[in-house]
Every structure is written in structure tokens, then in C-alpha cells.
């Protein structure tokens, strides 16, 4: 959330630049560490879906910190600082996700305390299978990692339905905006982003056929079938609930 007077475009640029820069540096650090310290084929370590997604940070970075100096105390100190920072990064990301879901339930008329309890409880319950079964974790990482492409598509579609120029002039360039976004934004959202989504999804679907002979099977851990099936299920649920959700939100808005 931002205050109304804050600059949306400036904050978005800073967040995107900061996040991507740190991610790039972290990726370079981890991959360099793997190739320097791995006792097996490093390329297989960074290319395998399981270890590359879930294990490299917690396997090789502790090994890296253990070799910083000859002093165990110094090594433990730097390792503790790093993983403490990683912990806070995860917590701050979790807070924003919980708040977004909580805000949605509040729009439905729930009080904040109850909404937070519901969101936190559901998050814990839905996270248990991933904590108990690595295959389930890999499946969810696969499905919803690729699903970010669809998320971007839906955001773009929502802006197009709202009116790209109206969104740009009234919301992005509205009150508190110091950096004005030009009309190029209209073409990016209405033309470039949809093309990118279509190209990426088609590339992914075509490539997935070669990754798994039974690419259509929804019960495999990582293939097109399991992703499409879960996307379709969630989309169906939202479509069925869309009218009721919209009516509830507008009714609560009128009451306020």
C-alpha cells in the first residue's frame, strides 16, 4: 500500500529495479559458488529443477561461509547475518501477501481481526503439504511460478477493460505523481504485453511436449497438464464466484 500522494510510477520503477538487481546479484553469487565448490557436476546441479529451485541457497551458501576465513566465529557471524536478512526478506514478502488477501476479505464485510485469522490459518493449512512432501512443493512451485505469466496477462486485461488511457491519466499520472508516464504506456499495455504473454505461453506449451511424453497428464509433478488443470480449476472457481463477489464488494462500498 502507498499513500495517495506518493508517486506510483517512481515507486514501481524503484521497486522493480531494486528487486531485479538484488535477484541478479544473488543468482550470480549462488551459481558462482556452485561451480567453485561443487564436488559433482555443477551444471547438473544448477539445471535440475529440484535442487535448483529449493536447495542451492541452503546447501552451497553455508559451505561458502564456512570457507570465508580460518575463524569459525567470523564465518558463523557472516552466515548468521545473511540468513537473518533472508528471513526478514521472506517475512516482509509474506506480510504483503497476507495483507492483500486480508484486504479482499475485508471488502467482503469481514472485520480485520477475523480476516487475518482466516488468511493465516488457510495459508498454514495449505502450506503443510509442501512442507511434508518435496514433490508437492516442486509441483506448486512449477504451476504457480509459470502462472505469474497469466497473472500479468490478467492485470493487463483488467487495465484494458478499465481503459488504458484512463488508467494512465487518472491513476498513474493522478494526484501525487511527479513523474508523468507518456502515451507509450498505452501501447505497451494494450499491444506489447498481450503479444509477450501469447508468445511465452505458446513457447512454454510447445517446449513442454518435449519435456514429458505424457505432457497432458495432470498428475505428473512438472508438465503442462498439471499446470493447465490447476489454472483451470482456480479460474473456474473465480468465474463461479465472480458475480457474488462483485455484488458483495459494491454493496459494502455503498454502505460505507
Amino acid at each position: 500500500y502507498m499513500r495517495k500522494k506518493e508517486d506510483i510510477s517512481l515507486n514501481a520503477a524503484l521497486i522493480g529495479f531494486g528487486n531485479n538487481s538484488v535477484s541478479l546479484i544473488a543468482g550470480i553469487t549462488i551459481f558462482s559458488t556452485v561451480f567453485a565448490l561443487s564436488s559433482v557436476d555443477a551444471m547438473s546441479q544448477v539445471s535440475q529443477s529440484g535442487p535448483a529451485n529449493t536447495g542451492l541457497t541452503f546447501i552451497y551458501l553455508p559451505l561458502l561461509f564456512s570457507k570465508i576465513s580460518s575463524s569459525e566465529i567470523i564465518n558463523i557471524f557472516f552466515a548468521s547475518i545473511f540468513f537473518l536478512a533472508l528471513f526478514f526478506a521472506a517475512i516482509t514478502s509474506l506480510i504483503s501477501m497476507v495483507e492483500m488477501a486480508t484486504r479482499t476479505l475485508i471488502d467482503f464485510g469481514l472485520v480485520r481481526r477475523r480476516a487475518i485469522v482466516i488468511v493465516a490459518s488457510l495459508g498454514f493449512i495449505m502450506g503443510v503439504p509442501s512442507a511434508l512432501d518435496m514433490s508437492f512443493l516442486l509441483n506448486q512451485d512449477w504451476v504457480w511460478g509459470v502462472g505469474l505469466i497469466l497473472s500479468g496477462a490478467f492485470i493487463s486485461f483488467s487495465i484494458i477493460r478499465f481503459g488504458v488511457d484512463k488508467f494512465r491519466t487518472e491513476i498513474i499520472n493522478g494526484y501525487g505523481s511527479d513523474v508523468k508516464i507518456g502515451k507509450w504506456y498505452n501501447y505497451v499495455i494494450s499491444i506489447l504485453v498481450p503479444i509477450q504473454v501469447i508468445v511465452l505461453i505458446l513457447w512454454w506449451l510447445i517446449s513442454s511436449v518435449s519435456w514429458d511424453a505424457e505432457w497432458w497428464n495432470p498428475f505428473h509433478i512438472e508438465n503442462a497438464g498439471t499446470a493447465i488443470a490447476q489454472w483451470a480449476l482456480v479460474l473456474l472457481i473465480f468465474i463461479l464466484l465472480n458475480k457474488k463477489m462483485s455484488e458483495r464488494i459494491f454493496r459494502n462500498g455503498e454502505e460505507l
Side-chain angles (χ1 to χ4, degrees), residues 43-115:
M43 184 59 70
S44 66
Q45 291 290 306
V46 298
S47 60
Q48 290 178 11
S49 178
N53 288 349
T54 58
L56 293 184
T57 300
F58 299 101
I59 295 174
Y60 285 98
L61 285 185
L63 183 60
L64 173 65
F65 286 119
S66 69
K67 297 180 179 296
I68 289 180
S69 70
S70 58
S71 172
E72 185 176 353
I73 295 177
I74 294 177
N75 297 344
I76 292 176
F77 172 76
F78 281 105
S80 301
I81 292 296
F82 172 81
F83 284 106
L84 184 63
L86 189 64
F87 168 77
F88 281 113
I91 288 295
T92 53
S93 298
L94 180 62
I95 290 174
S96 64
M97 290 186 287
V98 170
E99 177 60 25
M100 180 174 292
T102 300
R103 183 70 253 180
T104 302
L105 293 182
I106 292 175
D107 290 339
F108 288 147
L110 274 69
V111 297
R112 170 171 286 274
R113 183 184 296 273
R114 179 175 296 180

Side-chain angles (χ1 to χ4, degrees), residues 94-144:
L94 180 62
I95 290 174
S96 64
M97 290 186 287
V98 170
E99 177 60 25
M100 180 174 292
T102 300
R103 183 70 253 180
T104 302
L105 293 182
I106 292 175
D107 290 339
F108 288 147
L110 274 69
V111 297
R112 170 171 286 274
R113 183 184 296 273
R114 179 175 296 180
I116 292 177
V117 171
I118 292 175
V119 171
S121 300
L122 288 177
F124 176 81
I125 294 172
M126 295 175 68
V128 168
S130 294
L132 297 177
D133 188 348
M134 182 61 70
S135 296
F136 190 89
L137 173 62
L138 292 177
N139 175 262
Q140 293 303 290
D141 179 69
W142 163 263
V143 171
W144 301 113

Side-chain angles (χ1 to χ4, degrees), residues 8 12 35 54 57 59 78 82 106 116 123 125 140 148-149 154 156 166 178-179 197 204 207 210 222 235 251:
I8 295 177
F35 279 91
T54 58
T57 300
I59 295 174
F78 281 105
F82 172 81
I106 292 175
I116 292 177
I125 294 172
Q140 293 303 290
L148 290 175
I149 301 175
F154 279 114
S156 176
K166 181 181 179 182
D178 297 319
V179 179
V197 170
W204 176 75
S207 300
S210 63
E222 295 175 303
L235 185 60
R251 184 166 62 250

Side-chain angles (χ1 to χ4, degrees), residues 188-220:
V188 170
I189 295 297
S190 59
I191 299 176
L192 183 59
V193 171
I195 291 176
Q196 288 179 326
V197 170
I198 293 172
V199 170
L200 287 173
I201 290 295
L202 288 177
W203 168 82
W204 176 75
L205 287 173
I206 294 172
S207 300
S208 65
V209 175
S210 63
W211 298 335
D212 188 345
E214 296 184 9
W215 60 268
W216 45 266
N217 192 332
F219 298 104
H220 284 197

Side-chain angles (χ1 to χ4, degrees), residues 28-44:
I28 293 174
T29 302
I30 293 174
F31 288 158
S32 301
T33 302
V34 173
F35 279 91
L37 302 179
S38 178
S39 58
V40 295
D41 184 7
M43 184 59 70
S44 66

